[in-house]
Amino acid sequence: MDFLQFLLDKNNIFIVVVALASGAMLVVSGLRKGRGGSAVDTTAAIQMVNHQGAVWVDVRAAEQFQAGHIAQARSVPADDLEKKAAALPKNKPLILVCEQGRTSPRIAQRLKALGLTDVKTLDGGMRAWYAANLPVTQKG
C-alpha cells in the first residue's frame, strides 16, 4: 500500500505521468520504425554500400532527384515503383532514400511484397544526408 500512496502523492503524480507519457512515445516510435524494414543511419548505409555492394534507391520525385542526390543512386519515384521494381537487383541490399525518412518505410513494405527481401531505409532521408555534410550530385 505504501507504493500506491507514493505513486498517488501530489508531489509524485507529475513524475509518474511524465514517465508514462515518455514510455508511450518510445513504444509508438519503435512501432513506426519497425513497419517498413529497418532504418540505418548514414554511416551504416555507407558501410553497407562499401562492404556489401548495397544499392541506393532514391524514391523521391524526379525533380527532387535532379536537384541533388546521392552519387550512384537510382531514381525510382514512388509513383513508378511497380514499373521499375523489376530492374532492381534482388541479390544486393537496397537502401531507400526519401526526403525525411517518412515515406521510405511504406515503400520498403511494397518492395518486400514484390519479392525484394533485403530492403533498408535511410533514417532521416536526404535531410540526414545533408545534415551530415555528405556529398550530393546532380549528374545522372
Side-chain angles (χ1 to χ4, degrees):
M1 199 61 165
D2 289 334
F3 182 68
L4 186 59
Q5 283 180 324
F6 170 78
L7 290 178
L8 297 176
D9 185 65
K10 288 181 185 177
N11 296 328
N12 297 330
I13 194 76
F14 180 72
I15 294 170
V16 171
V17 170
V18 169
L20 290 174
S22 64
M25 288 189 289
L26 285 172
V27 168
V28 169
S29 175
L31 291 174
R32 282 187 180 167
K33 281 191 177 183
R35 266 193 252 159
S38 57
V40 293
D41 64 13
T42 54
T43 303
I46 291 168
Q47 289 176 351
M48 286 179 64
V49 170
N50 291 339
H51 300 293
Q52 299 172 22
V55 177
W56 298 108
V57 180
D58 194 317
V59 297
R60 298 175 300 154
E63 302 80 40
Q64 290 177 301
F65 181 82
Q66 291 168 354
H69 58 272
I70 299 169
Q72 297 161 356
R74 296 184 184 190
S75 178
V76 181
D79 295 338
D80 299 336
L81 187 67
E82 279 72 20
K83 289 184 242 173
K84 294 188 174 186
L88 295 173
K90 292 185 181 354
N91 60 343
K92 295 181 180 180
L94 303 177
I95 303 170
L96 303 185
V97 181
C98 63
E99 187 62 31
Q100 298 178 23
R102 295 182 185 159
T103 307
S104 54
R106 282 193 313 268
I107 296 170
Q109 283 183 324
R110 288 170 53 194
L111 286 174
K112 287 180 179 183
L114 293 171
L116 295 157
T117 57
D118 196 358
V119 181
K120 308 284 186 216
T121 61
L122 182 62
D123 193 18
M126 282 302 292
R127 289 202 179 172
W129 190 265
Y130 287 123
N133 289 321
L134 293 165
V136 295
T137 184
Q138 294 177 337
K139 296 180 184 176

